[in-house]
Amino acid sequence: MREKNFIIKPEEKVVVAIMDASENGVTDEVVSKCAKPTMYAVLSLIMNAYDMNISELDIPYNASYKGVSICDEHDTFNEKKGKDIAESKANLKYHTAMAKKYKRLANIFEKAQKEMHVLETDHALAAKNIKDSLNKFYVTEETDE
């Protein structure tokens, strides 16, 4: 949940929006929007990131995002517009930070996918070589008769 608080200073023609993002922002979103295998993989990775020393996941969970709206000295101060602008700026910072968090996760999973593909290929090649070896036995036995 993103709670927003405003500091309004009409005498200075300034509105500040402070948005406190939930410490469970990524996990809540993954649980509600991802398939179960993805959800479990992401949650496991996040929960074990500290123990596994995965610096790519050094993601702050209790973050605040601030947006400031400053009215031009020639304009008339409008609290509602100031709140809308300040809130939009705080939201922009929040969504930019969330995109970076997901990019970090995506990079880790992309690298994992490549590594899993290499392992899959290695095992498939080993299986093929074993089948080829076994086929030699069968061919030899048939020709020996």
Side-chain angles (χ1 to χ4, degrees), residues 95-135:
H95 287 292
T96 300
M98 288 298 285
K100 286 179 184 177
K101 290 176 186 182
Y102 284 113
K103 181 67 176 170
R104 288 179 188 168
L105 285 167
N107 286 341
I108 289 169
F109 283 110
E110 195 173 291
K111 183 178 179 185
Q113 185 274 332
K114 289 176 184 175
E115 291 172 356
M116 294 301 105
H117 182 70
V118 167
L119 293 172
E120 173 199 9
T121 303
D122 289 348
H123 285 286
L125 181 59
K128 180 192 174 302
N129 290 338
I130 292 168
K131 283 181 183 177
D132 290 348
S133 290
L134 287 172
N135 283 337

Side-chain angles (χ1 to χ4, degrees), residues 54-116:
I54 302 174
S55 61
E56 294 90 349
L57 283 178
D58 187 16
I59 300 171
Y61 291 101
N62 289 329
S64 291
Y65 304 92
K66 181 171 78 170
V68 180
S69 173
I70 302 172
C71 182
D72 185 85
E73 62 184 59
H74 303 293
D75 290 336
T76 303
F77 179 74
N78 181 315
E79 184 177 318
K80 184 181 177 339
K81 278 186 183 179
K83 280 183 170 181
D84 289 346
I85 292 169
E87 182 178 13
S88 292
K89 288 181 177 183
N91 275 326
L92 175 62
K93 289 178 182 178
Y94 166 76
H95 287 292
T96 300
M98 288 298 285
K100 286 179 184 177
K101 290 176 186 182
Y102 284 113
K103 181 67 176 170
R104 288 179 188 168
L105 285 167
N107 286 341
I108 289 169
F109 283 110
E110 195 173 291
K111 183 178 179 185
Q113 185 274 332
K114 289 176 184 175
E115 291 172 356
M116 294 301 105

